[in-house]
Amino acid sequence: MTTLGEFIVQQQHAFPHATGELSSLISAIRLAAKIVNREINRAGLSPDIIGAVGVENVQGEVQQKLDVFANDKFKAALEARGEVCGLASEEEEDFVVFDGERGKNASYVVLIDPLDGSSNIDVNVSVGTIFSIYRRITPVGEPVSGKDFLQPGCNQVAAGYVIYGSSTMLVYTTGVGVNGFTYDPTLGAFALSHPNMRLPDNGTIYSINEGNYIKFPAGVKQYIKYCQERDEATNRPYTSRYIGSLVSDFHRNLLKGGIYIYPTTESAPDGKLRLLYECNPIAFLAEQAGGIASDGRQRILDIEPTSLHQRVPFFAGSRLMVEQAQQFLNQSAEVVAS
């Protein structure tokens, strides 16, 4: 059994120029994930953990107690290691500057969704943490600025997620494939369980909130109907599976093959998911696993961010399925244009 710590050391030895800073940063994420996992597993036993705080975050969403807890734990763990000079979070209105002596001299910034799908906590459904790591742009020794965080996803040096479900897994990439580690509570360690994870080129699962069907663009409606049609040659109809947690839905499709869709809607004309700390890291993982991620028109990782909490439509998963969905969107756009 190879633990995450051992794997990190092995990877570092494979790159003689590596300084160990990134490895230490990922170790900090590992530590915070263990703490959050412990609290999630106690959620049904403690009223102090589950439920809403009673306030909304910058997204206009009601904060759950575990949202705040997870945000605080990841922020503290990342600052303590001294490898991160700043953090942007779904739960913070603006980016956070780590202005201690070690923080100012650190090389990385982290963008994070501390607890994706947290509204599912009360009903014991899988949730997750999503993280994205970049090298800073501002000179070392100076405070970080907005431009350090507003980088296109193609600049990511690492990204991943933690899924807290029937087992807890940490899945991440540093640009050389995707590897998954399952948490063994008897050892207190993440063990390599899914080496070199690959998205099948095609799949039979589509993940979308069909309750919003009436609000979807015409091309998305047409693609859903395509998924539901009977055609033995293409293994249709496909299976509809939607959990309501990006991490959980993507993780299932990563293992089995499928497409995740959160398009624009009448009530969310720019989409709902956040580019910087949801779509970019998942897109990086998808591409490293052989899949595709787009906003329906262009590659997610090529989008130039304009704001910290920018929203975009999101299509990610098996290559052939995403390409097929894009064809329906393009055809629909051509009809409208004509």
Side-chain angles (χ1 to χ4, degrees):
M1 181 179 66
T2 301
T3 67
L4 176 57
E6 291 168 339
F7 184 84
I8 289 172
V9 171
Q10 291 170 8
Q11 292 294 101
Q12 190 173 318
H13 286 165
F15 298 94
H17 60 277
T19 62
E21 293 173 314
L22 182 59
S23 299
S24 179
L25 197 166
I26 293 173
S27 294
I29 291 172
R30 173 186 59 183
L31 173 61
K34 289 181 183 180
I35 297 171
V36 172
N37 175 69
R38 181 192 63 198
E39 296 305 305
I40 288 174
N41 287 337
R42 295 180 56 243
L45 301 174
S46 174
D48 295 331
I49 296 173
I50 62 173
V53 177
V55 297
E56 294 183 348
N57 61 16
V58 65
Q59 319 294 334
E61 300 167 346
V62 176
Q63 279 187 318
Q64 302 296 311
K65 292 175 183 176
L66 268 171
D67 283 323
V68 177
F69 177 86
N71 187 62
D72 290 346
K73 294 306 175 187
F74 276 100
K75 185 164 60 174
L78 290 167
E79 184 175 17
R81 288 295 175 113
E83 312 297 351
V84 179
C85 53
L87 173 139
S89 166
E90 180 183 14
E91 304 304 326
E92 306 276 354
E93 184 171 358
D94 204 352
F95 60 85
V96 177
V97 178
F98 296 154
D99 54 4
E101 194 60 37
R102 294 179 67 192
K104 284 192 290 189
N105 292 307
S107 302
Y108 297 97
V109 296
V110 174
L111 299 100
I112 191 166
D113 181 351
L115 205 60
D116 168 66
S118 57
S119 60
N120 286 329
I121 283 286
D122 292 0
V123 292
N124 202 20
V125 174
S126 298
V127 294
T129 297
I130 311 173
F131 61 89
S132 175
I133 302 170
Y134 294 81
R135 285 193 176 276
R136 68 186 299 171
I137 295 175
T138 51
V140 171
E142 295 183 6
V144 290
S145 69
K147 65 182 180 181
D148 291 302
F149 298 93
L150 299 182
Q151 300 187 54
C154 58
N155 287 357
Q156 291 174 100
V157 296
Y161 60 80
V162 184
I163 180 169
Y164 311 99
S166 55
S167 62
T168 295
M169 281 189 66
L170 189 154
V171 178
Y172 85 104
T173 181
T174 55
V176 285
V178 178
N179 293 281
F181 301 79
T182 300
Y183 184 63
D184 184 343
T186 64
L187 298 176
F190 285 93
L192 179 62
S193 55
H194 295 68
N196 193 29
M197 301 174 77
R198 301 293 296 175
L199 259 163
D201 285 342
N202 211 346
T204 58
I205 298 171
Y206 68 100
S207 306
I208 187 171
N209 185 356
E210 293 186 73
N212 290 328
Y213 180 86
I214 195 171
K215 303 177 183 179
F216 291 154
V220 174
K221 291 179 180 178
Q222 292 161 11
Y223 179 69
I224 291 174
K225 290 302 180 186
Y226 168 84
C227 292
Q228 296 170 341
E229 292 170 353
R230 185 181 299 277
D231 181 65
E232 292 184 5
T234 55
N235 292 318
R236 288 182 288 146
Y238 296 152
T239 300
S240 176
R241 291 284 184 269
Y242 186 74
I243 297 171
S245 164
L246 170 59
V247 166
S248 303
D249 282 307
F250 177 78
H251 183 72
R252 179 197 52 243
N253 294 349
L254 173 60
L255 295 175
K256 296 188 174 183
I259 182 172
Y260 176 90
I261 304 173
Y262 209 116
T264 59
T265 64
E266 293 173 3
S267 55
D270 296 323
K272 184 180 179 183
L273 298 181
R274 274 62 58 139
L275 171 64
L276 292 178
Y277 42 81
E278 291 178 321
C279 299
N280 271 343
I282 296 297
F284 192 19
L285 288 162
E287 290 195 4
Q288 284 295 311
I292 292 178
S294 82
D295 66 355
R297 294 182 178 83
Q298 64 176 320
R299 181 182 180 230
I300 286 290
L301 298 183
D302 287 338
I303 297 175
E304 292 285 346
T306 57
S307 63
L308 203 58
H309 301 289
Q310 180 178 345
R311 299 174 188 261
V312 293
F314 194 51
F315 299 72
S318 295
R319 179 178 59 83
L320 295 177
M321 297 186 79
V322 176
E323 288 175 348
Q324 184 73 66
Q326 289 182 142
Q327 287 180 19
F328 277 97
L329 287 169
N330 292 335
Q331 291 167 5
S332 175
E334 289 171 3
V335 169
V336 171
S338 62

